[in-house]
Amino acid sequence: LFKPFMELQVKQNLSSVKDGNIGIGLACSQQICKKLDGDITVKHSQEGLTIFSFKIPVKIKLNSDN
């Protein structure tokens, strides 16, 4: 799922996918998350939806000038 450019079979006939390629966005998103020491996950809901989540650690610096 997170591999860049999964070639679609012609029999799938997905006219909305340009050039028959799909998946570069997920591959890029995963790489960005990993470079930021985070992770991206995927799960399927009971309603048939696919849910993508990501976690990235952040540090918040509070301004002590106040």
Side-chain angles (χ1 to χ4, degrees), residues 10-45:
V10 175
K11 63 184 176 184
Q12 288 176 305
N13 195 20
L14 296 175
S15 59
S16 64
V17 178
K18 185 178 179 180
D19 300 327
N21 295 316
I22 192 169
I24 189 68
L26 288 175
C28 290
S29 298
Q30 184 183 47
Q31 288 179 6
I32 291 168
C33 285
K34 286 186 176 189
K35 286 184 186 234
L36 296 172
D37 295 324
D39 192 25
I40 188 168
T41 58
V42 60
K43 69 178 180 178
H44 301 283
S45 72

Side-chain angles (χ1 to χ4, degrees), residues 44-65:
H44 301 283
S45 72
Q46 292 178 349
E47 295 83 22
L49 301 173
T50 304
I51 301 169
F52 294 93
S53 309
F54 67 92
K55 292 181 182 180
I56 297 173
V58 295
K59 292 181 182 179
I60 299 174
K61 182 177 179 182
L62 299 176
N63 189 351
S64 60
D65 292 338

